[in-house]
Amino acid sequence: MLIDQAKIHVKAGDGGKGCTSFYRDRSVRKGKPNGGDGGDGGDIIFKVDKNIRTLLDFQYNRHFKASGGSHGSSNNKKGHSGTDLYIRVPPGTIIRDVATGFVLRDLKDAGEEVRVAVGGRGGRGNSKKSLATAGEKGEEKKLELELKLIADVGIIGYPNVGKSTLISHISRAKSKIANYPFTTKAPVLGMVRINEVDLTFADMPGLIEGAHKGRGLGDEFLRHIERTKILLHMVDMAQREGRDAFSDYESINRELSLYARHVAKKPQVLACNKMDLPQAGDNLDKFRKKIDKKAFPISAITGEGVKELLDEIQKNCY
Ligand SMILES: Nc1nc2c(ncn2[C@@H]2O[C@H](COP(=O)(O)OP(=O)(O)OP(=O)(O)O)[C@@H](O)[C@H]2O)c(=O)[nH]1
Ligand SMILES: [Mg+2]
């Protein structure tokens, strides 16, 4: 199970100030007190939205503030209340208060709501008995959001084909990239927005022959792709160090079927990487003759062809 997390700061609106004012007209210079109360501050409310699937938005937007109540005014006019701020989160989001460590709510069903910070009450206007008061402050909290995710897309392929380079190019995930096999030792998650749809990609450690029996980094990682919707199978068109793209492609597919039939049957999108290197064009022509499937030529480094690849992935997912 992969986990998406975000830390945010919320502040409910402050209450408006109560007003100090006295009735006046031509004959009365200082009549009865008539200061209105301040309006209440807006609350912060989380709401489950089933169209959201990740916590991606919270990478960009971490501070949330509801509007304050307005001040009271003369003639006993109460200030307007602040507007509640709704924060939309995906189903399955757990909200934890950082200060106390307590889980405020485990939001599961679409439409479910939870009020996490309450707006300050408006201050009282002056009256016969008392002076006007200031509004209360709105509640302020640091919250940790957590979402257990099943990745939509598992990126698989031989070691060193450029899986981590691709996920780093398309998402904010920082997956270690290096020119040696088995650089990636555990799945790394990246969130990508394609044509208004959020998809979760999981960069996997490289697979080799015998992976289903635990060779290389083994079957533990095959487990992670079991529940993904589709697989992005990457092959290296540079074919250096005596590798052959077609036999790599076949042996990975063989490993998948030896591991589990339902994994082998998952839809695959095929990306032919490192097309920026000189010999890649010829290798691609040869490779295409041997397969009966559409191959997307890309360069994870320059970004060439990546848009077309992502469009195809999105069509296959939702
Ligand atoms: N020229 C070129 N090099 C690339 C491209 N994509 C990746 N590389 C290089 O290939 C090497 C391996 O890249 P990684 O992204 O670490 O490969 P990986 O598939 O994640 O490897 P493992 O985690 O070991 O399975 C690095 O030196 C990258 O810079 C590409 O499109 N063009
Ligand atoms: Mg890697």
Side-chain angles (χ1 to χ4, degrees), residues 159-165 178 182-184 206 273-274 276 299-301:
N160 231 15
V161 298
K163 302 179 291 298
S164 302
T165 308
F182 300 117
T183 305
T184 306
N273 193 31
K274 307 199 187 178
D276 56 292
S299 167
I301 284 189

Side-chain angles (χ1 to χ4, degrees), residues 90-213:
T93 303
I94 296 170
I95 305 167
R96 191 176 287 117
D97 187 329
V98 173
T100 63
F102 285 131
V103 171
L104 298 178
R105 189 70 162 267
D106 193 347
L107 291 169
K108 291 198 188 76
D109 304 317
E112 207 177 326
E113 286 184 15
V114 58
R115 202 169 300 262
V116 293
V118 180
R121 283 238 300 272
R124 262 192 329 260
N126 65 334
S127 66
K128 263 186 273 179
K129 290 188 207 112
S130 59
L131 297 174
T133 59
E136 291 172 0
K137 293 269 173 234
E139 273 188 300
E140 207 168 330
K141 280 179 187 161
K142 279 209 173 85
L143 301 176
E144 190 173 62
L145 311 183
E146 192 179 284
L147 179 69
K148 292 195 171 72
L149 280 181
I150 297 166
D152 298 300
V153 184
I155 310 179
I156 58 162
Y158 237 77
N160 231 15
V161 298
K163 302 179 291 298
S164 302
T165 308
L166 180 70
I167 203 166
S168 306
H169 185 93
I170 61 177
S171 76
R172 291 160 65 101
K174 288 186 183 63
S175 191
K176 187 174 172 194
I177 298 166
N179 195 13
Y180 55 82
F182 300 117
T183 305
T184 306
K185 307 231 184 301
V188 174
L189 205 62
M191 259 64 73
V192 187
R193 183 162 292 171
I194 314 168
N195 307 324
E196 307 292 307
V197 180
D198 288 350
L199 294 182
T200 326
F201 284 63
D203 173 26
M204 295 293 167
L207 290 174
I208 52 170
E209 263 159 81
H212 72 284
K213 286 190 284 192

